[in-house]
Amino acid sequence: YDLNGTLWKRMEASQIKMVDPVKKNWMAQLIRMESAKDGRFTVLEFSQVKANAGIPDSVFSQQNLSRVK
């Protein structure tokens, strides 16, 4: 909703799967965002999600995050 309380976008999450059995974390594998104004939409699809993969903190340095690949 926007600041005036008007519906702005709708989010639909589906294909909910457990991604971390140890911590019991669940994640939507498919997310659809739709504009309430004109019906345009974006779909995010996640596959091969790995939780607690042991990624070192150095991967998330400012230099690495600004690098275009």
Side-chain angles (χ1 to χ4, degrees):
Y1 292 88
D2 65 12
L3 295 175
N4 297 321
T6 305
L7 181 64
W8 187 46
K9 293 189 184 224
R10 286 183 205 94
M11 182 181 89
E12 179 182 315
S14 60
Q15 299 180 18
I16 313 296
K17 295 182 182 177
M18 184 179 287
V19 294
D20 186 352
V22 174
K23 294 184 179 179
K24 296 183 173 62
N25 289 331
W26 295 73
M27 181 180 162
Q29 304 295 296
L30 191 67
I31 299 173
R32 184 178 191 268
M33 293 291 294
E34 180 180 342
S35 168
K37 182 179 179 181
D38 58 18
R40 295 186 326 170
F41 63 91
T42 299
V43 175
L44 300 172
E45 186 172 5
F46 300 92
S47 62
Q48 300 179 3
V49 175
K50 296 178 184 176
N52 300 316
I55 300 171
D57 288 344
S58 61
V59 170
F60 301 99
S61 70
Q62 188 125 21
Q63 182 179 6
N64 282 341
L65 294 174
S66 63
R67 191 177 300 158
V68 177
K69 294 185 178 185

